[in-house]
């Protein structure tokens, strides 16, 4: 990567002033995530070589087999965030309950909470398809100096102060927002440095890619079925192309660059869909809206939803604005 590309560290320093809160703490937080991303990237890249593949023998609260890399990624991110003394609480897909962090020297003086999906797309781990980490950052709402409570975690997505993902793909990228646009950084593994490779990422207003698990088609609500058939019709700029990797982060990333819509609807098999509101849909929705895209539960904005449970699921439609709006239109019409 030639020198013209800014490093993530330089970018954070240059943009601290644009962050509405105490910029130094957020910089420390993003730097903690940067470090954990490098450690997990190293493990993901060598997973095929050492005996780290396969289930760790446990299942998480979702009842899903925990892959060893899931467990490792979870441990690395939690430990790195704990060490940085700016986080007072963490919630993770891999943890049944949230973790309250007491800072060593000051009781609970830290102001930020972090929610993570440490390794999204884990079903792809053993078959060498890209996976990702998703993170969401809030300021606590309960009094500083007291242990965090569930109320600190059940905030609407509109309260996020930062969100992003790491995609461990053909190259490893960290993509994040602090509410001032979306920027993508590519890791140069030779020197362990992230470089600004994708400044000001934006969803094209529309696109020709739709991402959904069509194996569930017969279980979808009628409006979703109607929209999928619309995507497949020979008319105007259609048929669209179907692309579904099985990793939200990878499908989202491709659609943000090329234009497209990702859908994980509710179905007769999953009454609220599969994706989790707090550490999958809200952070991706923050990124989508910051990149002039849209994120909906099929009826309204994901980030306006008031969460009720740590691991709650919601239907998820996210991507190019005109495509999400068209899907919402078909869903609404089917209900008339
Ligand atoms: P299905 C991965 O487990 C995930 O949460 C997303 O990353 C992905 O898009 C989706 O679930 C895949 O789920 O049911 O289509 O295999």
């Amino acid at each position: 990567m030639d020198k013209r590309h800014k490093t993530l560290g330089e970018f954070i320093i240059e943009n601290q002033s644009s962050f509405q809160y105490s910029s130094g703490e957020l910089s420390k937080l993003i730097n903690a995530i940067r470090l954990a991303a490098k450690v997990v990237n190293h493990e993901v890249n060598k997973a095929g070589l050492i005996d780290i593949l396969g289930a760790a023998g446990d299942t998480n609260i979702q009842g899903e087999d925990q892959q060893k890399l899931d467990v490792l990624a979870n441990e690395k991110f939690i430990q790195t965030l704990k060490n940085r003394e700016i986080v007072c609480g963490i919630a993770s897909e891999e943890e049944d309950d949230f973790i309250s962090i007491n800072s060593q020297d000051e009781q609970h003086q830290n102001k930020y909470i972090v929610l993570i999906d440490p390794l999204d797309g884990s079903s792809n781990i053993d078959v060498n398809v890209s996976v990702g980490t998703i993170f969401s950052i809030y300021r606590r709402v309960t009094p500083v100096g007291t242990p965090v409570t569930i109320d600190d975690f059940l905030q609407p997505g509109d309260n996020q102060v930062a969100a992003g993902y790491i995609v461990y793909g053909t190259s490893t990228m960290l993509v994040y927002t602090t509410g001032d646009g979306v920027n993508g950084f590519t890791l140069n593994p030779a020197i362990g440095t992230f470089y600004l490779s994708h400044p000001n990422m934006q969803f094209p207003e529309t696109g020709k890619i739709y991402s959904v698990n069509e194996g569930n088609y017969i279980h979808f609500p009628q409006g979703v079925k109607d929209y999928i058939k619309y995507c497949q019709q020979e008319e105007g700029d259609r048929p669209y192309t179907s692309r579904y990797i099985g990793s939200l982060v990878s499908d989202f990333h491709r659609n943000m660059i090329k234009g497209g819509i990702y859908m994980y609807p509710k179905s007769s098999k999953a009454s609220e869909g599969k994706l989790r509101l707090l550490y999958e849909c809200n952070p991706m929705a923050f990124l989508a809206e910051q990149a002039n895209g849209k994120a909906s539960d099929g009826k309204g904005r994901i980030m306006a939803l008031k969460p009720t449970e740590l691991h709650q699921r919601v239907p998820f439609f996210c991507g190019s604005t005109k495509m999400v709006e068209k899907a919402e239109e078909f869903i609404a019409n089917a209900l008339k």
Side-chain angles (χ1 to χ4, degrees), residues 120-122 213 216 244 246-248 262 264 274-276 280:
D120 173 71
S122 51
N213 185 339
N216 298 324
Y244 190 70
S247 276
L248 165 60
Y262 171 97
Y264 208 104
K274 174 183 181 184
L275 299 189
R276 293 79 168 184
E280 289 178 326

Side-chain angles (χ1 to χ4, degrees), residues 9-45:
E10 290 164 342
F11 181 86
I12 290 171
I13 291 166
E14 282 179 15
N15 290 276
Q16 281 190 140
S17 56
S18 69
F19 181 59
Q20 55 180 323
Y21 299 103
S22 150
S23 51
E25 291 172 322
L26 184 76
S27 301
K28 282 167 72 176
L29 242 181
I30 301 293
N31 279 320
I33 289 167
R34 170 175 62 168
L35 173 62
K38 289 188 212 176
V39 172
V40 172
N41 175 64
H42 178 68
E43 297 300 334
V44 168
N45 285 343

Side-chain angles (χ1 to χ4, degrees), residues 71-137:
V71 175
L72 179 139
N74 188 51
E75 288 165 1
K76 294 296 177 192
F77 273 94
I78 290 174
Q79 197 50 50
T80 311
L81 289 167
K82 275 182 172 176
N83 292 346
R84 289 297 169 97
E85 289 288 298
I86 13 117
V87 173
C88 54
I90 300 174
S92 167
E93 179 189 57
E94 302 301 334
E95 301 288 335
D96 296 353
D97 201 355
F98 64 83
I99 299 167
S100 175
I101 298 171
N102 310 338
S103 50
Q104 275 68 30
D105 45 357
E106 310 154 316
Q107 281 306 311
H108 312 298
Q109 292 306 308
N110 301 332
K111 301 184 188 66
Y112 292 94
I113 63 158
V114 181
L115 299 99
I116 54 170
D117 180 357
L119 211 60
D120 173 71
S122 51
S123 57
N124 287 312
I125 292 173
D126 283 354
V127 293
N128 201 16
V129 170
S130 59
V131 292
T133 297
I134 306 172
F135 61 90
S136 173
I137 301 172

Side-chain angles (χ1 to χ4, degrees), residues 1 6-9 34 38 186-195:
M1 189 73 68
K6 209 170 289 180
T7 68
L8 174 56
R34 170 175 62 168
K38 289 188 212 176
T186 300
L187 179 66
N188 178 340
I191 55 175
T193 302
F194 281 99
Y195 285 93

